[in-house]
Amino acid sequence: QAADLLAALVAGDSSRFRSLVSVVLDDGQAPKRVADTAMRGRALAMAGAVLEAAGRAGYDTAPAWARMEGLAAELNELEQKDAVAAAVRNALRSLRPKDPKAAAGLRDFAPLYRAVTEGLTEGVTLESVAAALGENPSTLSKRLQRKLGMSFSEYKGRVRVDYAKNLLRT
Protein backbone atom coordinates (compact mmCIF):
# COMPACT_ATOMS: atom_id res chain seq x y z
CA GLN A 1 0.00 0.00 0.00
CA ALA A 2 2.99 2.30 0.33
CA ALA A 3 3.10 2.98 -3.40
CA ASP A 4 -0.65 3.71 -3.43
CA LEU A 5 -0.24 6.09 -0.49
CA LEU A 6 2.66 7.81 -2.22
CA ALA A 7 0.67 8.16 -5.46
CA ALA A 8 -2.30 9.65 -3.58
CA LEU A 9 -0.02 12.02 -1.67
CA VAL A 10 1.82 13.22 -4.77
CA ALA A 11 -1.41 13.54 -6.75
CA GLY A 12 -2.91 15.69 -3.99
CA ASP A 13 -5.83 13.25 -3.62
CA SER A 14 -6.49 13.84 0.09
CA SER A 15 -9.67 11.79 0.29
CA ARG A 16 -7.95 8.74 -1.17
CA PHE A 17 -4.91 9.29 1.07
CA ARG A 18 -7.17 9.48 4.15
CA SER A 19 -9.08 6.40 3.05
CA LEU A 20 -5.88 4.37 2.55
CA VAL A 21 -4.44 5.59 5.86
CA SER A 22 -7.68 4.68 7.61
CA VAL A 23 -7.44 1.12 6.26
CA VAL A 24 -3.88 0.81 7.57
CA LEU A 25 -4.70 2.28 10.99
CA ASP A 26 -7.87 0.26 11.71
CA ASP A 27 -7.36 -2.31 14.44
CA GLY A 28 -10.70 -3.95 15.07
CA GLN A 29 -11.72 -4.59 18.66
CA ALA A 30 -8.49 -4.17 20.64
CA PRO A 31 -8.72 -2.48 24.07
CA LYS A 32 -8.31 1.33 23.83
CA ARG A 33 -4.80 1.47 25.35
CA VAL A 34 -3.51 -1.29 23.07
CA ALA A 35 -5.34 0.06 20.01
CA ASP A 36 -3.80 3.55 20.40
CA THR A 37 -0.29 2.13 20.74
CA ALA A 38 -0.78 -0.21 17.78
CA MET A 39 -2.21 2.62 15.67
CA ARG A 40 0.84 4.80 16.38
CA GLY A 41 3.19 1.93 15.49
CA ARG A 42 1.34 1.23 12.25
CA ALA A 43 1.44 4.96 11.40
CA LEU A 44 5.24 5.07 11.81
CA ALA A 45 5.69 1.85 9.84
CA MET A 46 3.42 3.19 7.11
CA ALA A 47 5.39 6.47 6.91
CA GLY A 48 8.63 4.51 6.63
CA ALA A 49 7.20 2.30 3.87
CA VAL A 50 6.00 5.38 1.93
CA LEU A 51 9.47 6.91 2.24
CA GLU A 52 11.02 3.69 0.96
CA ALA A 53 8.63 3.69 -2.03
CA ALA A 54 9.41 7.37 -2.63
CA GLY A 55 13.13 6.65 -2.69
CA ARG A 56 12.58 3.91 -5.28
CA ALA A 57 10.44 6.32 -7.34
CA GLY A 58 13.24 8.91 -7.49
CA TYR A 59 12.25 11.26 -4.67
CA ASP A 60 14.57 13.05 -2.26
CA THR A 61 13.54 11.49 1.05
CA ALA A 62 16.17 13.05 3.36
CA PRO A 63 13.98 15.96 4.58
CA ALA A 64 11.08 13.62 5.32
CA TRP A 65 13.33 11.11 7.12
CA ALA A 66 14.61 13.99 9.26
CA ARG A 67 11.01 14.66 10.34
CA MET A 68 10.39 11.06 11.49
CA GLU A 69 11.71 11.65 15.02
CA GLY A 70 9.38 14.62 15.40
CA LEU A 71 6.54 12.55 13.96
CA ALA A 72 7.10 9.85 16.57
CA ALA A 73 6.87 12.43 19.36
CA GLU A 74 3.79 14.03 17.81
CA LEU A 75 2.01 10.68 17.40
CA ASN A 76 2.56 9.96 21.09
CA GLU A 77 0.20 12.85 21.87
CA LEU A 78 -2.54 11.89 19.40
CA GLU A 79 -5.45 9.51 19.87
CA GLN A 80 -7.78 10.23 16.96
CA LYS A 81 -7.22 8.39 13.68
CA ASP A 82 -7.84 11.55 11.62
CA ALA A 83 -5.24 13.47 13.63
CA VAL A 84 -2.72 10.64 13.17
CA ALA A 85 -3.38 10.59 9.41
CA ALA A 86 -2.91 14.37 9.22
CA ALA A 87 0.37 14.18 11.16
CA VAL A 88 1.71 11.48 8.81
CA ARG A 89 0.64 13.49 5.78
CA ASN A 90 2.33 16.63 7.10
CA ALA A 91 5.56 14.73 7.78
CA LEU A 92 5.57 13.35 4.24
CA ARG A 93 4.74 16.65 2.52
CA SER A 94 8.43 17.49 2.31
CA LEU A 95 8.96 14.80 -0.35
CA ARG A 96 10.36 16.36 -3.51
CA PRO A 97 11.31 14.61 -6.74
CA LYS A 98 14.97 14.50 -7.67
CA ASP A 99 13.74 14.48 -11.25
CA PRO A 100 10.59 16.48 -12.21
CA LYS A 101 9.49 13.60 -14.46
CA ALA A 102 9.15 11.39 -11.35
CA ALA A 103 6.52 13.71 -9.85
CA ALA A 104 4.57 13.88 -13.08
CA GLY A 105 4.63 10.09 -13.40
CA LEU A 106 3.14 9.56 -9.95
CA ARG A 107 0.57 12.36 -10.28
CA ASP A 108 -0.82 10.47 -13.25
CA PHE A 109 -1.97 7.67 -10.95
CA ALA A 110 -4.96 9.62 -9.60
CA PRO A 111 -6.87 9.27 -12.92
CA LEU A 112 -5.80 5.61 -13.07
CA TYR A 113 -7.22 4.99 -9.60
CA ARG A 114 -10.50 6.69 -10.54
CA ALA A 115 -10.74 4.68 -13.77
CA VAL A 116 -10.17 1.42 -11.89
CA THR A 117 -12.65 2.20 -9.08
CA GLU A 118 -15.33 3.39 -11.50
CA GLY A 119 -15.03 0.13 -13.45
CA LEU A 120 -14.95 -2.26 -10.48
CA THR A 121 -18.58 -3.31 -10.82
CA GLU A 122 -18.47 -4.03 -14.53
CA GLY A 123 -15.13 -5.85 -14.63
CA VAL A 124 -12.34 -3.43 -15.43
CA THR A 125 -9.53 -4.51 -17.76
CA LEU A 126 -6.12 -3.09 -18.60
CA GLU A 127 -7.36 -2.33 -22.10
CA SER A 128 -10.47 -0.44 -20.91
CA VAL A 129 -8.50 1.63 -18.39
CA ALA A 130 -5.78 2.39 -20.95
CA ALA A 131 -8.44 3.49 -23.44
CA ALA A 132 -10.10 5.71 -20.81
CA LEU A 133 -6.74 7.32 -20.07
CA GLY A 134 -5.77 7.58 -23.75
CA GLU A 135 -2.73 5.35 -23.29
CA ASN A 136 -1.34 2.23 -24.85
CA PRO A 137 -2.02 -0.81 -22.58
CA SER A 138 1.62 -1.94 -22.65
CA THR A 139 2.83 1.58 -21.77
CA LEU A 140 0.42 1.72 -18.84
CA SER A 141 1.50 -1.74 -17.69
CA LYS A 142 5.21 -0.83 -17.86
CA ARG A 143 4.59 2.43 -15.99
CA LEU A 144 2.74 0.61 -13.22
CA GLN A 145 5.55 -1.93 -12.90
CA ARG A 146 8.25 0.74 -12.89
CA LYS A 147 6.59 3.25 -10.54
CA LEU A 148 4.58 1.03 -8.20
CA GLY A 149 6.37 -2.29 -8.58
CA MET A 150 3.23 -4.26 -9.45
CA SER A 151 1.29 -5.49 -12.44
CA PHE A 152 -2.10 -4.11 -13.44
CA SER A 153 -3.92 -7.10 -11.96
CA GLU A 154 -2.06 -6.71 -8.66
CA TYR A 155 -2.92 -2.99 -8.64
CA LYS A 156 -6.56 -3.72 -9.47
CA GLY A 157 -6.69 -6.32 -6.68
CA ARG A 158 -5.30 -3.87 -4.14
CA VAL A 159 -7.74 -1.17 -5.22
CA ARG A 160 -10.61 -3.67 -4.89
CA VAL A 161 -9.54 -4.74 -1.41
CA ASP A 162 -9.08 -1.14 -0.24
CA TYR A 163 -12.44 -0.20 -1.74
CA ALA A 164 -14.15 -3.16 -0.03
CA LYS A 165 -12.53 -2.33 3.31
CA ASN A 166 -13.76 1.23 3.03
CA LEU A 167 -17.29 0.03 2.21
CA LEU A 168 -17.28 -2.34 5.17
CA ARG A 169 -16.05 0.41 7.48
CA THR A 170 -18.73 2.85 6.37
Side-chain angles (χ1 to χ4, degrees), residues 22-70:
S22 194
V23 167
V24 172
L25 297 181
D26 273 343
D27 187 48
Q29 301 299 322
K32 175 94 172 104
R33 181 182 52 75
V34 174
D36 287 348
T37 303
M39 178 179 62
R40 290 180 191 113
R42 281 192 302 279
L44 281 173
M46 174 184 53
V50 169
L51 287 173
E52 182 181 338
R56 283 193 311 268
Y59 276 68
D60 178 15
T61 59
W65 277 116
R67 298 184 74 181
M68 287 300 106
E69 188 176 326

Side-chain angles (χ1 to χ4, degrees), residues 104-136:
L106 282 173
R107 272 191 204 101
D108 294 342
F109 284 103
L112 171 66
Y113 178 79
R114 280 191 293 280
V116 171
T117 54
E118 289 168 4
L120 284 179
T121 55
E122 55 269 352
V124 65
T125 64
L126 174 62
E127 289 74 20
S128 65
V129 170
L133 297 175
E135 270 191 56
N136 183 312

